[in-house]
Amino acid sequence: MSDTVPGEDVPGADVPEHDPAAPAPLAVPRVPTGDAGVDAQVARLADADHLATEGHLEVYEDVHRGLRDALTALDARPGTPGLPPSYGN
């Protein structure tokens, strides 16, 4: 015989079961770079945390494109200093 009374709250009954197949955040820390554009792209990676695996590629490609554009913009800025002479020696 059960100790519960009909209509009485059962402890744990309102806790949803964990679905191991559901997307789960990776909890990878994202450290600010100090560049607002780059930080926005890195923050966008969090969007993949709530998607199924097949949705990750779109987010990763979008972030990659944004980071590549940020690097290209650095090259296009007038007066941007070049690499120091000792670079690569």
Side-chain angles (χ1 to χ4, degrees):
M1 180 176 250
S2 173
D3 292 337
T4 61
V5 177
E8 183 180 325
D9 287 335
V10 177
D14 58 346
V15 177
E17 289 187 36
H18 172 68
D19 179 3
L26 296 175
V28 174
R30 294 171 185 94
V31 180
T33 65
D35 182 294
V38 171
D39 290 344
Q41 291 299 322
V42 172
R44 171 120 166 69
L45 290 172
D47 293 347
D49 283 349
H50 308 288
L51 298 173
T53 305
E54 51 276 352
H56 290 189
L57 183 61
E58 182 179 343
V59 173
Y60 295 157
E61 286 180 342
D62 184 48
V63 170
H64 181 257
R65 188 173 24 262
L67 292 173
R68 187 180 56 229
D69 291 348
L71 287 172
T72 301
L74 288 175
D75 289 338
R77 272 196 304 197
T80 302
L83 296 174
S86 62
Y87 182 79
N89 290 338

